[in-house]
Amino acid sequence: MKKLRATVNKIMSYLEDIAPRSLAMPGDPVGLQLGNPEADISKVLVSLDPDEKSVDEALSIGAEMLVTHHPLFYHKLASINESLPEGMVISLAIRNKISIFSAHTNFDSAIQGVSYQLARRLGFSTEKADVIEVTGSEELLKLVVFVPVGHEDRIRDALAGAGAGKIGHYSHCTFQNSGTGTFMPGQETNPFIGKSGQLEKVDEIRLETILPAHSRYNVIEALLQAHPYEEVAYDLYPLVLKGRDFGFGLIVEVDEPLSLDKIIQICRDRLNADYLRYYAPTVKAYKKIAFCGGSGGSLVENAARLKVELFISGDFSYHNLKAAQDLGIALIDAGHDTTEWPGVVYLKEYLAERLLSDGYQTGVFLHTPYPSGWNHV
Ligand SMILES: [Zn+2]
């Protein structure tokens, strides 16, 4: 019997699936910033920053959980002083029982993370994208499960729906062969097949598939729900094979080169950028384009080395500009928050979809975006 409202723990497990904690940079305080993992949540608010505006909006809509990209405790606090902005946020959240969770560099570097969402929002396909700075590759597992004949398609669908069985652009990848399963139900059992105390021999399918390690909990949960047996026999094996690379920044190669004017227009239209500046060493059309939501300055040299012609990000510094001039790579700076916002929208849509498909009546809301605060003259 499912609960009507998801707990903080449940929502965190959904976020772990797309932005595993293990991907965070050392020292980045991702995860539950404050709150009660067991609390039932009727509404979640998703926002870029854990600031007073976000907590106020959570309060005004009755949300008991705030999910943000930037973490609350990025700098170590010596005190919680309500006369200071951070202290006020912490105090407001605790007094009103609002849990705060952040997916920061783990979401920056995740497959489908911030840079993927930026590229997609700008209309670029990320199907064959490369990562600028690879920080790791997906760990893979092999799952083997034994299923009574006739139930294998249902189980296969459940596994595929939870993230197993993907190889490249193929889904539902499994192998199956048939054999005989044996078991003897004990006294306290309620077996799907057989009687207690009698050895059963059943025609079963051995179904095997592959899955990314971070989705194992979801996959096993889906398997146990779909499988007819009281006790499900399955094995999980670690694999030497690795999955897709992940890391910071994304490179996309387009079929038809795009002019600088066209790319700038796309950024203005699709990001609602109130702030945009660029450096372009030559007048040309661009084929190899890179994206990094937030601050991509540290990736400029790597991007140029990988023959990127144009790099779209935020927060480029004077020294990034100098490097770009030396290396002959064009830059578009569309703002830190503006280039991260598509990732925030994705978190909201993803959570809403997961909660709905699991039958939870927990609503997900997007924080009203506000201008970055810069004035331009
Ligand atoms: Zn950021």
Side-chain angles (χ1 to χ4, degrees), residues 72-91:
L72 184 57
F73 295 110
Y74 198 62
H75 306 289
K76 285 222 165 9
L77 288 181
S79 65
I80 300 172
N81 179 341
E82 287 192 26
S83 68
L84 298 174
E86 272 182 324
M88 180 44 124
V89 167
I90 294 165
S91 175

Side-chain angles (χ1 to χ4, degrees), residues 106-322:
N106 48 332
F107 184 45
D108 282 322
S109 57
I111 292 169
Q112 309 304 339
V114 174
S115 299
Y116 279 79
Q117 303 311 323
L118 171 62
R120 282 204 197 131
R121 170 67 74 91
L122 294 173
F124 293 86
S125 165
T126 56
E127 290 278 301
K128 294 179 188 160
D130 290 317
V131 173
I132 299 178
E133 187 182 317
V134 175
T135 55
S137 311
E138 281 181 312
E139 298 286 327
L140 297 175
L141 300 173
K142 168 134 301 196
L143 170 68
V144 175
V145 58
F146 301 89
V147 182
V149 171
H151 291 260
E152 60 273 23
D153 288 339
R154 187 171 125 86
I155 303 281
R156 189 176 1 256
D157 280 348
L159 296 175
K166 278 190 199 145
I167 300 179
H169 299 307
Y170 293 83
S171 69
H172 295 72
C173 300
T174 63
F175 181 80
Q176 67 181 63
N177 52 3
S178 52
T180 305
T182 70
F183 51 85
M184 187 186 291
Q187 292 303 316
E188 304 292 316
T189 59
N190 180 22
F192 177 69
I193 299 170
K195 291 196 178 79
S196 63
Q198 285 182 15
L199 182 70
E200 282 299 326
K201 293 185 177 176
V202 181
D203 290 338
E204 288 183 346
I205 300 289
R206 175 193 159 107
L207 192 63
E208 58 184 90
T209 190
I210 198 164
L211 59 133
H214 69 81
S215 67
R216 61 196 283 182
Y217 300 105
N218 264 338
V219 169
I220 298 305
E221 194 179 325
L223 167 65
L224 297 181
Q225 278 190 15
H227 202 290
Y229 283 2
E230 198 173 22
E231 301 291 346
V232 179
Y234 66 90
D235 301 310
L236 273 176
Y237 303 96
L239 295 184
V240 175
L241 288 176
K242 297 286 181 200
R244 294 169 294 176
D245 287 340
F246 54 78
F248 297 100
L250 207 64
I251 303 170
V252 168
E253 201 160 343
V254 292
D255 295 333
E256 291 296 320
L258 292 163
S259 72
L260 183 70
D261 284 351
K262 178 72 185 162
I263 298 171
I264 287 175
Q265 195 56 46
I266 291 172
C267 289
R268 276 196 205 288
D269 293 348
R270 302 201 182 193
L271 296 179
N272 282 328
D274 64 338
Y275 167 85
L276 209 149
R277 58 183 182 169
Y278 69 91
Y279 163 71
T282 51
V283 179
K284 59 174 280 190
Y286 298 92
K287 214 167 153 45
K288 203 161 181 180
I289 303 168
F291 307 84
C292 179
S295 305
S298 63
L299 301 177
V300 170
E301 274 97 347
N302 259 350
R305 191 176 49 77
L306 294 166
K307 308 269 185 281
V308 168
E309 297 162 317
L310 171 72
F311 186 13
I312 303 169
S313 185
D315 277 355
F316 285 129
S317 69
Y318 172 71
H319 295 288
N320 300 146
L321 171 66
K322 293 297 285 177

